[in-house]
Amino acid sequence: MLRTANAKKDITRKPEHVDIKPQRMGFEFNDKVPRYWLDNSPFLSHMMNALSVLFPQGEQYFVDAVRYYRDQINDPTLKKEVQGFIGQEAMHSLEHIAMNQHVRDQDMPVEDMERHLKVLLTGFGKRLPKRHQLAITCALEHMTAMMADMLLERDDVREDMHETMRPLWVWHAIEETEHKAVTYDVFQQVGGTYLERAFYQILSTALLGVMTTYFTARMMWNDKRNISLTDVGKGLWRMWGVGGVFSSLAPTWLEYFKPGFHPWQHDNSELIAEFKSEIAEHVAPQYRNGNRRTLQ
């Protein structure tokens, strides 16, 4: 489906059957969640916990970057998608705050990591021009979308997640897929340039790698009695070796640099329907029966 995004060119848009609506899930993390919930690996579990710590503040940054331009959007369809995006990201923050409390309860230095992330976002990220903040958001949304697609595509990754943790990450992946083009479409409509998005894709990737590595290292240091070189080596190979979880995403990452790129050129919307029914049973009772929250 093609729609006119601006006077210069047409861009691909979200498939009409994909609906961007926020859903509060009410996940709970208790003693049934094992300490090492991903493949029984301390390294891999700490790495995913590190990503979770990034989400609440990171997603608020995304919301602020998009909300700034909301009144400049003339396309009513895109305006509705922005509203859905804001609501979904707000729900993601709430659910990961709950998960991060579980990580904190394991004596992990979550407050320190959150404070250091805030310094990066406020001391650097928020000082950039507004459109550059939006370019950073587009870049990071591309990375979350490609990781979401990987999670939904690869049975081996999902199956190695403990059953108490898997629903959170599958639900998050579904919604990242649903709204994967919203920030990009806003960026295009408000005059974002190719140079801006290409530059901030490189910078954002580097910063994400540094912060994730730092947070993972902090958790491993706190848990050093249970860390082994064998576990770390196996984890690194699984992530970055031949056919690894992250190394296999390199071609998708590079697609972002194509001048005519659009997130929905890779239409993986069939995965949304495939997994939504599975996730529906995990909605907490108080949030069932269509009780959705839409934030402005």
Side-chain angles (χ1 to χ4, degrees):
M1 177 181 178
L2 295 177
R3 290 179 183 267
T4 300
N6 52 47
K8 294 183 179 179
K9 61 182 180 180
D10 288 338
I11 60 172
T12 305
R13 291 292 298 270
K14 174 183 69 64
E16 290 184 350
H17 64 276
V18 174
D19 198 10
I20 304 173
K21 290 184 178 180
Q23 172 67 67
R24 182 69 195 273
M25 299 294 289
F27 292 118
E28 295 183 356
F29 305 94
N30 51 39
D31 293 341
K32 294 181 180 179
V33 182
R35 186 177 183 88
Y36 308 127
W37 57 268
L38 180 54
D39 199 23
N40 198 34
S41 165
F43 172 74
L44 294 177
S45 301
H46 290 317
M47 184 188 65
M48 293 298 287
N49 290 344
L51 284 174
S52 183
V53 173
L54 290 168
F55 284 138
Q57 289 188 63
E59 289 175 328
Q60 184 60 54
Y61 185 90
F62 299 170
V63 167
D64 292 343
V66 173
R67 185 185 279 129
Y68 178 84
Y69 287 102
R70 182 166 54 180
D71 293 339
Q72 300 181 34
I73 300 170
N74 299 317
D75 181 347
T77 299
L78 183 54
K79 272 202 164 189
K80 183 179 178 182
E81 291 173 2
V82 165
Q83 181 177 339
F85 167 82
I86 291 172
Q88 285 190 337
E89 293 289 49
M91 294 303 104
H92 297 174
S93 293
L94 290 175
E95 301 295 348
H96 279 280
I97 286 171
M99 176 180 167
N100 295 343
Q101 181 59 52
H102 173 73
V103 177
R104 184 181 288 107
D105 291 342
Q106 298 174 5
D107 296 323
M108 291 297 159
V110 173
E111 288 88 353
D112 283 350
M113 293 185 285
E114 290 174 338
R115 186 170 61 254
H116 296 158
L117 178 60
K118 184 176 181 180
V119 169
L120 174 65
L121 293 177
T122 58
F124 170 70
K126 287 288 188 177
R127 294 178 182 272
L128 293 170
K130 293 295 185 180
R131 204 168 72 192
H132 292 209
Q133 295 181 37
L134 187 60
I136 289 174
T137 300
C138 289
L140 291 170
E141 279 291 303
H142 176 62
M143 283 182 271
T144 55
M146 68 186 194
M147 287 189 284
D149 183 57
M150 173 275 299
L151 178 63
L152 298 179
E153 284 277 8
R154 291 187 59 157
D155 295 343
D156 61 316
V157 177
R158 293 192 314 278
E159 290 170 359
D160 281 342
M161 292 180 171
H162 191 268
E163 61 183 9
T164 57
M165 198 63 85
R166 187 186 309 124
L168 167 69
W169 293 91
V170 172
W171 163 78
H172 196 155
I174 290 169
E175 295 201 347
E176 288 297 333
T177 302
E178 289 174 337
H179 69 233
K180 67 179 180 177
V182 174
T183 59
Y184 187 90
D185 288 342
V186 172
F187 181 72
Q188 293 290 314
Q189 190 163 106
V190 301
T193 68
Y194 174 81
L195 182 61
E196 288 168 349
R197 71 176 174 89
F199 172 77
Y200 281 109
Q201 169 76 344
I202 296 170
L203 180 61
S204 299
T205 301
L207 291 175
L208 178 63
V210 168
M211 294 306 291
T212 304
T213 301
Y214 168 58
F215 285 5
T216 303
R218 284 292 305 271
M219 293 188 192
M220 290 172 63
W221 179 256
N222 265 47
D223 196 31
K224 52 184 175 292
R225 288 180 300 178
N226 297 316
I227 299 297
S228 71
L229 290 177
T230 300
D231 176 64
V232 173
K234 287 182 178 179
L236 287 172
W237 178 256
R238 183 170 185 185
M239 293 297 107
W240 295 104
V242 177
V245 172
F246 289 156
S247 57
S248 65
L249 297 178
T252 307
W253 185 83
L254 289 169
E255 287 177 2
Y256 193 77
F257 294 96
K258 294 180 179 178
F261 168 82
H262 188 271
W264 279 110
Q265 288 169 345
H266 172 52
D267 185 352
N268 59 344
S269 56
E270 76 283 351
L271 293 172
I272 297 172
E274 179 180 344
F275 285 96
K276 267 203 164 180
S277 57
E278 173 186 322
I279 291 302
E281 65 187 62
H282 295 282
V283 181
Q286 65 268 34
Y287 301 116
R288 291 177 185 166
N289 301 318
N291 182 14
R292 299 177 182 268
R293 291 182 57 193
T294 301
L295 303 188
Q296 301 301 318

